[in-house]
């Protein structure tokens, strides 16, 4: 079964507690938290104080996706705030190997995210050191965007790279995930589905999470 990570970016920020409870009581596996700095991406979301507040109520791991420049400056702050998985962007890290090692040394799982234009092959020298690869299936910055179809072939190529290298990295797909494309993404090799708009703008978010969780290769 896929790991389901609802993106809190699409939650009701004025009623975060009720959305956190909904995720706690649902079949979701992780909370996906999108941190944006207005520099790496053209949007600003939330940061460390909000993550700390969410951690107090969340009963599931926090999957923190950092869309910021120089993410290495904040590794310990995000750990202290409660991050369990910390994902940095390939495009934002000059010393990616060092940053990945620092994230793991701080006690978190280390993720690396790739923008839609970045080839998965760029991770070949580091794939065995990474716990998660986040394939961006939209250009990062906003929820509710349209899924980029080229994502399937990136996931397939990455799945082969992971098998050949005996890496244990999970493949996460982030952006534009819907009930319609979830099965195809799993078929291509995705382990983790992030979903913001699909979950939070549905009439019954918990049911939508169950439907995503129940997605199989043959769905
Ligand atoms: C986009 C974020 C995503 C976003 C996904 O920059 O990284 O996590 O919340 O939202 P949807 O599922 O609505 O495309
Ligand atoms: Zn994200």
């Amino acid at each position: 079964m896929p790991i389901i990570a609802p993106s809190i970016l699409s939650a009701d920020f004025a009623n975060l507690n009720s959305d956190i409870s909904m995720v706690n009581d649902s079949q979701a596996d992780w909370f996906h938290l999108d941190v944006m700095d207005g520099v790496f991406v053209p949007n600003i979301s939330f940061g460390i104080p909000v993550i700390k507040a969410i951690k107090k109520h969340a009963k599931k791991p926090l999957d923190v996706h950092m869309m910021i420049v120089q993410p290495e400056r904040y590794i310990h702050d995000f750990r202290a705030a409660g991050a369990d998985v910390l994902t940095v962007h390939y495009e934002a890290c000059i010393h990616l190997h060092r940053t990945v090692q620092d994230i793991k040394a701080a006690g978190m799982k280390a993720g690396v995210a790739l923008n839609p234009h970045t080839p998965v092959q760029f991770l070949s020298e580091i794939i065995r050191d990474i716990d998660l690869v986040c394939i961006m299936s939209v250009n990062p910055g906003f929820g509710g965007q349209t899924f980029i179809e080229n994502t399937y072939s990136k996931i397939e190529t990455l799945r082969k790279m992971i098998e050949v290298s005996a890496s244990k990295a999970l493949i996460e797909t982030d952006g534009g995930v819907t009930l319609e494309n979830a099965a195809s993404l799993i078929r291509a090799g995705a382990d983790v589905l992030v979903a913001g708009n699909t979950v939070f703008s549905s009439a019954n978010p918990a049911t939508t999470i169950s439907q995503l969780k129940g997605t199989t290769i043959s769905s």
Side-chain angles (χ1 to χ4, degrees):
M1 277 193 164
I3 291 169
I4 306 301
S7 170
I8 297 302
L9 190 63
S10 295
D12 179 354
F13 289 172
N15 286 296
L16 260 190
N17 208 11
S18 80
D19 282 339
I20 293 166
S21 301
M22 182 279 293
V23 174
N24 279 338
D25 297 339
S26 76
Q27 285 190 283
D29 300 276
W30 298 347
F31 286 83
H32 184 83
L33 304 177
D34 290 301
V35 178
M36 304 179 186
D37 66 355
V39 179
F40 182 71
V41 288
N43 195 10
I44 300 174
S45 58
F46 51 80
I48 291 158
V50 172
I51 291 176
K52 207 180 273 180
I54 292 173
K55 185 71 176 180
K56 283 193 197 136
H57 303 280
K59 295 184 183 147
K60 297 174 180 181
L62 304 189
D63 172 34
V64 177
H65 177 191
M66 293 208 284
M67 284 160 273
I68 67 174
V69 297
Q70 298 184 313
E72 65 279 357
R73 295 168 63 201
Y74 300 102
I75 291 171
H76 293 281
D77 293 325
F78 279 100
R79 180 56 177 158
D84 296 284
V85 182
L86 193 63
T87 295
V88 295
H89 264 264
Y90 173 88
E91 303 83 7
C93 294
I94 295 172
H95 299 288
L96 182 62
H97 185 275
R98 177 185 291 150
T99 301
V100 163
Q101 301 306 329
D102 288 351
I103 292 171
K104 293 198 290 190
M108 295 173 281
K109 301 273 187 207
V112 178
L114 300 179
N115 279 338
H117 72 277
T118 304
V120 293
Q121 288 86 349
F122 284 8
L123 295 180
S124 64
E125 305 303 331
I126 200 172
I127 191 70
R128 288 168 62 101
D129 299 291
I130 303 175
D131 298 301
L132 176 144
V133 178
C134 174
I135 303 280
M136 290 308 302
S137 30
V138 297
N139 284 293
F142 304 92
Q145 301 182 83
T146 305
F147 178 83
I148 296 172
E149 297 287 325
N150 185 54
T151 305
Y152 296 119
S153 71
K154 287 182 78 172
I155 294 175
E156 285 165 7
T157 307
L158 179 60
R159 174 54 60 203
K160 283 183 201 135
M161 273 173 64
I162 287 173
E163 276 164 18
V164 169
S165 62
S167 158
K168 294 195 172 65
L170 295 173
I171 302 178
E172 177 176 76
T173 181
D174 184 9
V177 173
T178 63
L179 291 172
E180 287 71 40
N181 63 22
S184 303
L185 287 163
I186 293 167
R187 224 172 285 135
D191 302 295
V192 186
L193 304 178
V194 174
N197 190 52
T198 290
V199 167
F200 288 99
S201 50
S202 74
N204 190 332
T207 303
T208 303
I209 289 169
S210 300
Q211 288 170 323
L212 287 168
K213 185 73 184 170
T215 309
T216 59
I217 290 178
S218 52
S219 295

